């Protein structure tokens, strides 16, 4: 694939550019820039999480899933990545796999079911 002007510059310049394209809903372009950043600094969570979001919004769900799993491998309590993984799995029709991720994301965010909800769940 041919390089373009927005893939050049320092990591900080490319990060800013990727954010600009993401904010403009140009998810494919943002993903292209972010892919290079993730290759350079695979240990950093933020570029990988934004790359996963760009993939999600451009309906490249398997790629989003792969990046989200990599984020969670590095940071298992990253609740937004856990939530996104659940939503990504749901969009792929994999609701059963999504449920534990969505529940864990809610728990990590401090969202616990009310007593009445737990009683209803136990009765069901």
């Amino acid at each position: 694939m041919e390089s373009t002007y927005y893939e050049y510059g320092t990591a900080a310049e490319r990060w800013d550019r990727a954010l600009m394209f993401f904010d403009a809903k140009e998810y494919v372009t943002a993903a292209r820039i972010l892919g290079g950043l993730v290759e350079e600094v695979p240990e950093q969570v933020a570029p990988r999480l934004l790359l996963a979001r760009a993939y999600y919004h451009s309906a490249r769900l398997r790629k989003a899933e792969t990046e989200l799993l990599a984020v969670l491998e590095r940071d298992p309590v990253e609740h937004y990545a856990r939530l996104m993984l659940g939503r990504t799995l749901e969009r792929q029709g994999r609701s059963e796999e999504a449920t534990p991720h969505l529940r864990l994301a809610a728990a990590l965010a401090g969202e616990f079911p009310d007593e009445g909800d737990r009683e209803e769940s136990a009765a069901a």
Side-chain angles (χ1 to χ4, degrees):
M1 191 179 291
E2 186 178 315
S3 293
T4 57
Y5 77 93
Y6 47 77
E7 294 171 307
Y8 292 100
T10 67
E13 290 169 338
R14 287 178 287 137
W15 171 254
D16 289 342
R17 203 171 297 127
L19 286 173
M20 180 190 69
F21 279 106
F22 187 90
D23 289 343
K25 297 183 171 109
E26 295 288 336
Y27 302 117
V28 173
T29 303
R32 188 169 177 184
I33 298 166
L34 290 163
L37 285 173
V38 165
E39 285 179 19
E40 282 180 40
V41 286
E43 69 282 355
Q44 289 189 3
V45 170
R48 193 175 294 273
L49 186 56
L50 190 60
L51 176 58
R53 291 177 64 198
Y55 284 149
Y56 178 87
H57 288 299
S58 60
R60 294 187 282 176
L61 301 177
R62 290 285 186 183
K63 287 185 173 195
E65 180 182 350
T66 299
E67 295 303 328
L68 291 165
L69 289 170
V71 167
L72 291 169
E73 183 178 302
R74 287 165 177 75
D75 187 357
V77 294
E78 169 51 64
H79 86 276
Y80 188 70
R82 189 73 61 182
L83 174 66
M84 277 193 61
L85 180 57
R87 297 288 181 232
T88 300
L89 293 169
E90 280 182 333
R91 277 185 73 184
Q92 294 179 68
R94 297 161 57 192
S95 295
E96 192 171 304
E97 290 177 67
T99 300
H101 296 289
L102 295 172
R103 285 185 180 155
L104 185 52
L108 290 169
E111 300 168 7
F112 298 101
D114 295 334
E115 281 295 319
D117 293 342
R118 276 187 245 146
E119 290 172 9
E120 290 175 18
S121 295

